[in-house]
Tab-separated table of all heavy atoms in Angstrom:
chain	number	residue	atom	x	y	z
A	6	ARG	N	-32.250	127.810	-58.079
A	6	ARG	CA	-30.822	127.831	-57.740
A	6	ARG	C	-30.462	129.144	-57.049
A	6	ARG	O	-29.735	129.164	-56.054
A	6	ARG	CB	-29.993	127.647	-59.005
A	6	ARG	CG	-28.491	127.511	-58.725
A	6	ARG	CD	-27.717	127.267	-60.007
A	6	ARG	NE	-27.711	128.410	-60.890
A	6	ARG	CZ	-26.936	129.490	-60.723
A	6	ARG	NH1	-26.134	129.578	-59.689
A	6	ARG	NH2	-26.975	130.482	-61.586
A	7	ARG	N	-31.001	130.262	-57.544
A	7	ARG	CA	-30.706	131.564	-56.934
A	7	ARG	C	-31.254	131.659	-55.510
A	7	ARG	O	-30.596	132.185	-54.624
A	7	ARG	CB	-31.295	132.686	-57.782
A	7	ARG	CG	-30.688	132.835	-59.135
A	7	ARG	CD	-29.333	133.450	-59.048
A	7	ARG	NE	-28.833	133.738	-60.382
A	7	ARG	CZ	-27.991	134.696	-60.638
A	7	ARG	NH1	-27.550	135.467	-59.680
A	7	ARG	NH2	-27.558	134.887	-61.861
A	8	ILE	N	-32.460	131.167	-55.297
A	8	ILE	CA	-33.043	131.195	-53.954
A	8	ILE	C	-32.233	130.312	-53.013
A	8	ILE	O	-31.987	130.673	-51.857
A	8	ILE	CB	-34.526	130.804	-53.997
A	8	ILE	CG1	-35.332	131.903	-54.695
A	8	ILE	CG2	-35.073	130.576	-52.585
A	8	ILE	CD1	-36.784	131.582	-54.920
A	9	ALA	N	-31.757	129.172	-53.508
A	9	ALA	CA	-30.904	128.303	-52.695
A	9	ALA	C	-29.587	129.000	-52.358
A	9	ALA	O	-29.062	128.847	-51.261
A	9	ALA	CB	-30.646	126.988	-53.421
A	10	GLN	N	-29.058	129.786	-53.284
A	10	GLN	CA	-27.836	130.535	-53.019
A	10	GLN	C	-28.051	131.552	-51.911
A	10	GLN	O	-27.191	131.728	-51.036
A	10	GLN	CB	-27.357	131.254	-54.279
A	10	GLN	CG	-26.738	130.359	-55.310
A	10	GLN	CD	-26.370	131.123	-56.578
A	10	GLN	OE1	-26.896	132.203	-56.841
A	10	GLN	NE2	-25.481	130.538	-57.366
A	11	LEU	N	-29.194	132.232	-51.930
A	11	LEU	CA	-29.500	133.190	-50.864
A	11	LEU	C	-29.606	132.485	-49.529
A	11	LEU	O	-29.150	132.988	-48.510
A	11	LEU	CB	-30.800	133.930	-51.164
A	11	LEU	CG	-30.745	135.041	-52.185
A	11	LEU	CD1	-32.127	135.610	-52.410
A	11	LEU	CD2	-29.791	136.124	-51.758
A	12	SER	N	-30.219	131.310	-49.517
A	12	SER	CA	-30.343	130.540	-48.274
A	12	SER	C	-28.986	130.129	-47.744
A	12	SER	O	-28.790	130.015	-46.543
A	12	SER	CB	-31.203	129.292	-48.506
A	12	SER	OG	-32.491	129.649	-48.906
A	13	GLY	N	-28.041	129.922	-48.661
A	13	GLY	CA	-26.695	129.529	-48.263
A	13	GLY	C	-25.827	130.683	-47.833
A	13	GLY	O	-24.674	130.501	-47.460
A	14	GLY	N	-26.349	131.894	-47.880
A	14	GLY	CA	-25.600	133.055	-47.401
A	14	GLY	C	-24.848	133.805	-48.476
A	14	GLY	O	-24.074	134.706	-48.169
A	15	GLU	N	-25.053	133.466	-49.743
A	15	GLU	CA	-24.377	134.199	-50.804
A	15	GLU	C	-24.971	135.587	-50.966
A	15	GLU	O	-26.100	135.838	-50.583
A	15	GLU	CB	-24.477	133.434	-52.122
A	15	GLU	CG	-23.606	132.202	-52.146
A	15	GLU	CD	-23.469	131.635	-53.549
A	15	GLU	OE1	-23.495	132.423	-54.519
A	15	GLU	OE2	-23.336	130.428	-53.670
A	16	ARG	N	-24.192	136.464	-51.553
A	16	ARG	CA	-24.643	137.838	-51.773
A	16	ARG	C	-25.791	137.872	-52.757
A	16	ARG	O	-25.838	137.102	-53.710
A	16	ARG	CB	-23.490	138.673	-52.319
A	16	ARG	CG	-22.426	138.928	-51.279
A	16	ARG	CD	-21.393	139.856	-51.790
A	16	ARG	NE	-22.039	141.085	-52.234
A	16	ARG	CZ	-21.450	141.987	-53.000
A	16	ARG	NH1	-20.236	141.817	-53.413
A	16	ARG	NH2	-22.087	143.072	-53.364
A	17	PRO	N	-26.737	138.791	-52.567
A	17	PRO	CA	-27.837	138.918	-53.529
A	17	PRO	C	-27.335	139.446	-54.866
A	17	PRO	O	-26.220	139.937	-54.970
A	17	PRO	CB	-28.787	139.895	-52.866
A	17	PRO	CG	-28.045	140.511	-51.754
A	17	PRO	CD	-26.844	139.682	-51.445
A	18	TRP	N	-28.147	139.365	-55.869
A	18	TRP	CA	-27.801	139.807	-57.203
A	18	TRP	C	-28.721	140.941	-57.606
A	18	TRP	O	-29.748	141.173	-56.989
A	18	TRP	CB	-27.886	138.643	-58.181
A	18	TRP	CG	-29.227	138.002	-58.184
A	18	TRP	CD1	-30.249	138.239	-59.047
A	18	TRP	CD2	-29.719	137.057	-57.241
A	18	TRP	NE1	-31.339	137.499	-58.701
A	18	TRP	CE2	-31.039	136.758	-57.601
A	18	TRP	CE3	-29.180	136.415	-56.130
A	18	TRP	CZ2	-31.839	135.867	-56.897
A	18	TRP	CZ3	-29.971	135.521	-55.426
A	18	TRP	CH2	-31.275	135.255	-55.815
A	19	ALA	N	-28.364	141.616	-58.677
A	19	ALA	CA	-29.151	142.766	-59.137
A	19	ALA	C	-30.398	142.307	-59.887
A	19	ALA	O	-30.358	141.347	-60.638
A	19	ALA	CB	-28.291	143.635	-60.043
A	20	VAL	N	-31.498	143.006	-59.634
A	20	VAL	CA	-32.756	142.760	-60.326
A	20	VAL	C	-33.235	144.099	-60.873
A	20	VAL	O	-33.161	145.116	-60.184
A	20	VAL	CB	-33.819	142.169	-59.364
A	20	VAL	CG1	-35.145	141.991	-60.059
A	20	VAL	CG2	-33.335	140.865	-58.759
A	21	VAL	N	-33.719	144.106	-62.103
A	21	VAL	CA	-34.223	145.323	-62.724
A	21	VAL	C	-35.303	145.925	-61.829
A	21	VAL	O	-36.140	145.221	-61.277
A	21	VAL	CB	-34.805	144.999	-64.120
A	21	VAL	CG1	-35.385	146.242	-64.771
A	21	VAL	CG2	-33.739	144.391	-64.991
A	22	ARG	N	-35.287	147.243	-61.686
A	22	ARG	CA	-36.177	147.926	-60.736
A	22	ARG	C	-37.650	147.590	-60.947
A	22	ARG	O	-38.388	147.356	-60.000
A	22	ARG	CB	-35.968	149.430	-60.826
A	22	ARG	CG	-36.812	150.189	-59.833
A	22	ARG	CD	-36.492	151.661	-59.866
A	22	ARG	NE	-37.262	152.315	-58.818
A	22	ARG	CZ	-37.971	153.403	-59.015
A	22	ARG	NH1	-38.005	153.972	-60.188
A	22	ARG	NH2	-38.635	153.935	-58.026
A	23	SER	N	-38.106	147.567	-62.166
A	23	SER	CA	-39.524	147.310	-62.434
A	23	SER	C	-39.932	145.884	-62.086
A	23	SER	O	-41.106	145.623	-61.854
A	23	SER	CB	-39.854	147.609	-63.892
A	23	SER	OG	-39.066	146.785	-64.739
A	24	ALA	N	-38.980	144.954	-62.021
A	24	ALA	CA	-39.280	143.556	-61.707
A	24	ALA	C	-39.110	143.239	-60.223
A	24	ALA	O	-39.422	142.129	-59.799
A	24	ALA	CB	-38.390	142.631	-62.531
A	25	ARG	N	-38.634	144.174	-59.440
A	25	ARG	CA	-38.352	143.898	-58.027
A	25	ARG	C	-39.583	143.502	-57.212
A	25	ARG	O	-39.493	142.569	-56.413
A	25	ARG	CB	-37.630	145.075	-57.393
A	25	ARG	CG	-36.216	145.190	-57.893
A	25	ARG	CD	-35.506	146.383	-57.324
A	25	ARG	NE	-34.231	146.547	-58.019
A	25	ARG	CZ	-33.539	147.661	-58.005
A	25	ARG	NH1	-33.966	148.704	-57.330
A	25	ARG	NH2	-32.407	147.734	-58.668
A	26	PRO	N	-40.748	144.155	-57.343
A	26	PRO	CA	-41.905	143.692	-56.568
A	26	PRO	C	-42.305	142.258	-56.916
A	26	PRO	O	-42.595	141.458	-56.026
A	26	PRO	CB	-43.010	144.678	-56.930
A	26	PRO	CG	-42.294	145.908	-57.355
A	26	PRO	CD	-41.043	145.422	-58.017
A	27	PHE	N	-42.290	141.920	-58.199
A	27	PHE	CA	-42.609	140.556	-58.618
A	27	PHE	C	-41.593	139.567	-58.057
A	27	PHE	O	-41.950	138.531	-57.511
A	27	PHE	CB	-42.644	140.470	-60.148
A	27	PHE	CG	-42.776	139.072	-60.666
A	27	PHE	CD1	-44.004	138.435	-60.657
A	27	PHE	CD2	-41.674	138.398	-61.155
A	27	PHE	CE1	-44.136	137.139	-61.133
A	27	PHE	CE2	-41.793	137.110	-61.625
A	27	PHE	CZ	-43.023	136.479	-61.620
A	28	PHE	N	-40.313	139.908	-58.189
A	28	PHE	CA	-39.276	139.008	-57.701
A	28	PHE	C	-39.329	138.861	-56.182
A	28	PHE	O	-39.146	137.773	-55.652
A	28	PHE	CB	-37.890	139.496	-58.132
A	28	PHE	CG	-36.815	138.536	-57.779
A	28	PHE	CD1	-36.611	137.418	-58.560
A	28	PHE	CD2	-36.039	138.721	-56.662
A	28	PHE	CE1	-35.629	136.502	-58.232
A	28	PHE	CE2	-35.058	137.819	-56.316
A	28	PHE	CZ	-34.847	136.701	-57.108
A	29	ALA	N	-39.594	139.942	-55.488
A	29	ALA	CA	-39.692	139.868	-54.028
A	29	ALA	C	-40.881	139.016	-53.605
A	29	ALA	O	-40.802	138.260	-52.631
A	29	ALA	CB	-39.807	141.267	-53.431
A	30	ALA	N	-41.994	139.113	-54.333
A	30	ALA	CA	-43.151	138.268	-54.038
A	30	ALA	C	-42.821	136.801	-54.293
A	30	ALA	O	-43.206	135.916	-53.522
A	30	ALA	CB	-44.344	138.701	-54.869
A	31	ALA	N	-42.085	136.530	-55.380
A	31	ALA	CA	-41.656	135.155	-55.656
A	31	ALA	C	-40.715	134.665	-54.561
A	31	ALA	O	-40.806	133.518	-54.112
A	31	ALA	CB	-40.978	135.075	-57.021
A	32	LEU	N	-39.834	135.526	-54.123
A	32	LEU	CA	-38.919	135.161	-53.035
A	32	LEU	C	-39.688	134.867	-51.765
A	32	LEU	O	-39.372	133.912	-51.041
A	32	LEU	CB	-37.916	136.301	-52.799
A	32	LEU	CG	-36.881	136.075	-51.716
A	32	LEU	CD1	-35.989	134.897	-52.069
A	32	LEU	CD2	-36.047	137.320	-51.513
A	33	ALA	N	-40.718	135.646	-51.495
A	33	ALA	CA	-41.530	135.405	-50.298
A	33	ALA	C	-42.201	134.043	-50.361
A	33	ALA	O	-42.382	133.387	-49.334
A	33	ALA	CB	-42.583	136.506	-50.151
A	34	ARG	N	-42.580	133.594	-51.551
A	34	ARG	CA	-43.207	132.277	-51.697
A	34	ARG	C	-42.186	131.157	-51.581
A	34	ARG	O	-42.503	130.075	-51.117
A	34	ARG	CB	-43.907	132.175	-53.052
A	34	ARG	CG	-45.105	133.043	-53.213
A	34	ARG	CD	-46.410	132.338	-52.879
A	34	ARG	NE	-46.609	131.095	-53.566
A	34	ARG	CZ	-47.163	130.948	-54.767
A	34	ARG	NH1	-47.560	132.005	-55.437
A	34	ARG	NH2	-47.312	129.753	-55.288
A	35	GLY	N	-40.953	131.399	-52.022
A	35	GLY	CA	-39.935	130.351	-52.004
A	35	GLY	C	-39.002	130.409	-50.810
A	35	GLY	O	-38.113	129.578	-50.671
A	36	TRP	N	-39.195	131.355	-49.936
A	36	TRP	CA	-38.293	131.607	-48.796
A	36	TRP	C	-39.039	131.280	-47.514
A	36	TRP	O	-40.173	131.694	-47.332
A	36	TRP	CB	-37.906	133.078	-48.832
A	36	TRP	CG	-36.959	133.544	-47.795
A	36	TRP	CD1	-37.278	134.109	-46.610
A	36	TRP	CD2	-35.545	133.518	-47.862
A	36	TRP	NE1	-36.142	134.446	-45.942
A	36	TRP	CE2	-35.056	134.084	-46.680
A	36	TRP	CE3	-34.632	133.061	-48.807
A	36	TRP	CZ2	-33.702	134.206	-46.416
A	36	TRP	CZ3	-33.288	133.194	-48.554
A	36	TRP	CH2	-32.832	133.763	-47.367
A	37	ALA	N	-38.405	130.577	-46.627
A	37	ALA	CA	-39.045	130.215	-45.357
A	37	ALA	C	-38.714	131.257	-44.304
A	37	ALA	O	-37.933	131.025	-43.390
A	37	ALA	CB	-38.581	128.837	-44.912
C-alpha cells in the first residue's frame, strides 16, 4: 500500500535511519 501511495505521488514517510538501506532496496524491487 505504501509503495502504491508513492507511485500515486503522495509524500514519502519517515523510516528509521538504520532500516533505510533495507527499505530502499525493497523499494527498488517494488518500484518500476
